[in-house]
Amino acid sequence: MHDKIRFDDVQAAAESMPWLDLTYRQLEAGPVAVEIDFQQIDEATVIQASVDRRVGGTGRVLSGRTLFLLCTQGSEAHTYDEQPLTPGKIYVRSDGEMGRQTLEPGYKGILFLLPDELLLKHQRMRPLLGLQSGAIVDLAVENRASLLALYEEGLRADLTRRRHLCDAIVSCLCQGLSLETVSDFPSGVSAKRRMAGKVRERLEDCAEMTLGDICLELSVSERSLRRAFTEFYGTSPGQYQLTVRLHLVREDLRASPPDRGAVSRIATKHGFWHMGRFSSQYRRAFGETPTETLASF
């Protein structure tokens, strides 16, 4: 099975991925394009994903599967709990929370979702199934190239050949991952990056929080907070918070029947009081008006 789909909504793309329970949002203004390329290679589910805007979110790997995520394009274009996933490394997560994630514009990666039963047959892979959180693991250059080649071959292979490709993917991971150095995420994240991550978490979890509230909570000056956040996320905390609130509006619009007054009711619920300014901000973020979003679902 092979299916390539292009999405203009981040959450719709996230919900299309099997064996994963993801909540994603677009984190910068402008129309977004997310491409998802699915393959079923015998027991292995293989997904190539790319995005042209900054997006972020959280999620979990569902029971019975282990995720191997290979970043193929974009320097530090994908982070998990502020740990960068650079090309040549693999993020591993088995049956559990994946942590807070950020994908930068230009990101491209390949996800290999493998049954735990298949991995248990390989003695060397068993340490990955007992991790308490995700891990970022080095991958040998030659095995990285082999995984990419196996992905490409899977696009053309017949059913019989796909069974062999699935075994080859597992063998390639067994041989290429530096499993003797595997441990849960290290705590050696810079204080500035950790602070930026905490600010982001507060802004996403409670869109009504002010910067003053967060500064008091973290015992940090507003200037330091702004500088750290902008350094790591490329935007101001205020703009980030605006984007989060716009996404909350969009989610409610998509879930609401297109009745009279729905747009203004939902907008004011999320703190937008000037309808003209709100409509302009919404269109800049998503490439359509709030009314068009409401009418399309």
Side-chain angles (χ1 to χ4, degrees):
M1 181 189 77
H2 173 235
D3 197 7
K4 188 170 186 177
I5 309 174
R6 184 182 175 95
F7 295 88
D8 61 4
D9 181 84
V10 173
Q11 183 57 25
E15 291 172 359
S16 73
M17 297 193 194
W19 299 107
L20 299 172
D21 180 11
L22 304 175
T23 300
Y24 263 69
R25 286 178 180 150
Q26 182 180 335
L27 301 179
E28 65 178 352
V32 66
V34 184
E35 288 193 354
I36 307 290
D37 193 343
F38 300 90
Q39 284 191 66
Q40 191 63 44
I41 303 178
D42 196 39
E43 295 181 83
T45 303
V46 184
I47 306 169
Q48 179 171 265
S50 64
V51 63
D52 66 350
R53 297 279 178 184
R54 183 184 295 111
V55 304
T58 59
R60 62 179 291 111
V61 182
L62 300 185
S63 179
R65 286 295 189 279
T66 296
L67 166 72
F68 297 85
L69 173 57
L70 174 65
C71 177
T72 60
Q73 181 175 301
S75 176
E76 296 195 14
H78 199 159
T79 60
Y80 281 89
D81 284 342
E82 316 315 318
Q83 298 289 335
L85 177 64
T86 53
K89 294 182 180 291
I90 273 190
Y91 170 78
V92 184
R93 172 73 261 194
S94 178
D95 182 15
E97 299 295 332
M98 296 166 63
R100 198 170 293 272
Q101 305 143 45
T102 305
L103 283 68
E104 297 292 336
Y107 163 81
K108 183 177 286 187
I110 300 179
L111 299 81
F112 299 89
L113 284 153
L114 303 177
D116 291 349
E117 291 181 2
L118 184 61
L119 298 179
L120 285 170
K121 297 176 184 177
H122 297 263
Q123 184 74 26
R124 194 161 178 268
M125 300 295 276
R126 292 182 181 181
L128 297 176
L129 303 181
L131 292 172
Q132 295 302 305
S133 65
I136 291 178
V137 188
D138 289 328
L139 178 69
V141 174
E142 60 271 21
N143 295 94
R144 177 172 176 263
S146 295
L147 279 176
L148 294 175
L150 289 168
Y151 167 78
E152 293 294 336
E153 188 173 351
L155 297 173
R156 304 180 296 273
D158 59 23
L159 186 61
T160 302
R161 177 60 181 155
R162 283 173 178 264
R163 296 194 186 98
H164 297 296
L165 287 178
C166 182
D167 290 336
I169 287 170
V170 177
S171 296
C172 188
L173 290 168
C174 281
Q175 296 165 11
L177 293 177
S178 304
L179 299 188
E180 63 276 2
T181 63
V182 168
S183 61
D184 292 344
F185 273 137
S187 59
V189 182
S190 72
K192 190 184 292 186
R193 184 186 283 273
R194 191 179 298 113
M195 179 172 66
K198 287 181 178 178
V199 174
R200 175 188 165 188
E201 183 177 337
R202 300 300 190 276
L203 293 176
E204 289 185 6
D205 292 345
C206 184
E208 293 78 22
M209 284 195 81
T210 67
L211 287 186
D213 293 334
I214 298 173
C215 288
L216 285 173
E217 183 179 327
L218 301 181
S219 299
V220 64
S221 71
E222 186 170 324
R223 181 181 180 187
S224 296
L225 184 150
R226 288 181 181 277
R227 289 178 63 181
F229 193 91
T230 303
E231 178 178 341
F232 289 106
Y233 295 114
T235 187
S236 70
Q239 183 60 46
Y240 192 94
Q241 188 176 45
L242 171 63
T243 303
V244 169
R245 289 167 56 219
L246 287 170
H247 266 276
L248 292 174
V249 170
R250 184 172 174 82
E251 290 166 11
D252 282 359
L253 287 173
R254 295 181 65 188
S256 174
D259 57 0
R260 186 180 180 89
V263 170
S264 59
R265 183 178 67 252
I266 292 170
T268 53
K269 170 187 171 183
H270 294 290
F272 294 98
W273 307 103
H274 190 294
M275 290 300 106
R277 186 180 304 123
F278 158 71
S279 295
S280 177
Q281 292 169 330
Y282 188 96
R283 184 165 192 165
R284 195 159 52 243
F286 303 115
E288 63 183 16
T289 66
T291 304
E292 288 170 338
T293 299
L294 186 67
S296 63
F297 290 94

